[in-house]
Amino acid sequence: PADTDEFLVSDAGTLKRIDYSLIKGGGITEFDIHRLTATITANTDPITSNIERVDDATFSKIGTGVSQSSGVWSFPSTGLYQVGHVGQCYPAAGDNVGFDIYATADNGSNWDQIVQSSFANGSSRTSGSVTNFSLVNVTDVSNVKVKFATSSFASGSEINGDTDRNVTIFFFMRVGDSQ
């Protein structure tokens, strides 16, 4: 049916009309990806710069998309969101690079670490990726926020970024209604 098609519904014997757009189900209503455009080489809490929405020819966000100000991410609507990151790490020998996600329900007065990812390196330097996510119950778009941070950087450690392709990304997907 088209969004403007109408259905008749009986409400205790009274017939009412309702547009299909108001009763159709599901689908993802918000999905957004941003990427790190330059390499991080030190502890950073929060990650505030060198971030862009993916702008490849084949990418398109769904819905309004998230926004970021001074490293604090805001959601466009209430709902249950999957929030995560994929990071390309290149720790120095013997280092353990951390890539974390924090959430707040009081507009940044208190932050809870909801994800802790790390990539450890032995005696020789090697690269790898960390991927992690959590669900964030966004009950109030003014107060529920997230931020991403890096930790445990020894000299020579990196989380890589690139402006032309997804190397390290931050993703946000609304998976349902607030709980």
Side-chain angles (χ1 to χ4, degrees), residues 45 72 101-114 143-147:
D45 182 7
V72 176
I101 305 173
Y102 293 83
T104 181
D106 57 13
N107 199 24
S109 294
N110 298 287
W111 290 95
D112 293 322
Q113 185 178 29
I114 59 171
N143 288 311
V144 180
K145 314 281 184 191
V146 296
K147 68 178 181 174

Side-chain angles (χ1 to χ4, degrees), residues 68-148:
Q68 183 258 142
S69 176
S70 301
V72 176
W73 296 81
S74 297
F75 297 90
S77 60
T78 60
L80 189 61
Y81 284 79
Q82 181 183 24
V83 176
H85 60 67
V86 178
Q88 185 182 68
C89 301
Y90 196 48
D95 193 19
N96 191 26
V97 171
F99 195 10
D100 310 314
I101 305 173
Y102 293 83
T104 181
D106 57 13
N107 199 24
S109 294
N110 298 287
W111 290 95
D112 293 322
Q113 185 178 29
I114 59 171
V115 168
Q116 180 181 21
S117 301
S118 63
F119 186 80
N121 215 351
S123 59
S124 63
R125 195 162 185 212
T126 186
S127 66
S129 292
V130 295
T131 302
N132 215 329
F133 65 89
S134 187
L135 293 176
V136 176
N137 191 19
V138 180
T139 56
D140 179 346
V141 295
S142 296
N143 288 311
V144 180
K145 314 281 184 191
V146 296
K147 68 178 181 174
F148 298 87

Side-chain angles (χ1 to χ4, degrees), residues 25-46:
I28 294 172
T29 58
E30 291 287 345
F31 184 78
D32 203 358
I33 302 175
H34 292 244
R35 65 178 161 218
L36 187 63
T37 60
T39 297
I40 295 174
T41 59
N43 292 343
T44 307
D45 182 7

Side-chain angles (χ1 to χ4, degrees), residues 32-35 52-56 59-61 166 169:
D32 203 358
I33 302 175
H34 292 244
R35 65 178 161 218
E52 70 178 6
R53 177 172 281 126
V54 172
D55 58 2
D56 303 330
F59 176 77
S60 179
K61 66 180 171 43
N166 294 344
I169 65 166

